[in-house]
Amino acid sequence: MVFYIPDTGENAEHDEKRKLSILIEKNGGLLSGFHECFTYQIEPITDALNGKHFFAGDVYTGRWIVDSVKEGKLLNKEWYF
């Protein structure tokens, strides 16, 4: 699976992006610098971003990644839309 996490330039969000990125890659996922039809856009957990940070399409909370890793399986993404 390929994920896109926007970069806001803010230190706190950058740190969370780094942590989510590590979690994704440690569990077999890939990261993309832009959104394509096959990527999942991920919003950081601690900061609700606005539409200008994302491309058109669905956006899922970073909690989806964290909860899936904790459960040891990919959870239903619609719960995190």
Side-chain angles (χ1 to χ4, degrees), residues 1-2 4 6-7 10 12 14 24 31 39 42 45-46 49-51 54 57 61-63 69 79-80:
M1 294 180 77
V2 183
Y4 167 75
D7 189 12
E10 301 289 328
H14 182 73
I24 288 168
L31 295 165
T39 60
I42 303 296
I45 299 165
T46 59
L49 302 177
N50 61 38
F54 296 98
T61 176
R63 179 65 55 201
V69 170
W79 299 341
Y80 300 91

Side-chain angles (χ1 to χ4, degrees), residues 4-56:
Y4 167 75
I5 305 170
D7 189 12
T8 63
E10 301 289 328
N11 285 339
E13 288 81 14
H14 182 73
D15 188 49
E16 185 174 351
K17 177 181 178 175
R18 183 182 60 77
K19 289 176 183 176
L20 284 171
S21 298
I22 290 169
L23 199 56
I24 288 168
E25 290 179 331
K26 273 182 76 173
N27 289 279
L30 300 172
L31 295 165
S32 176
F34 52 90
H35 177 55
E36 290 283 346
C37 62
F38 54 83
T39 60
Y40 293 93
Q41 299 187 96
I42 303 296
E43 179 180 43
I45 299 165
T46 59
D47 186 34
L49 302 177
N50 61 38
K52 74 176 186 172
H53 292 101
F54 296 98
F55 295 92

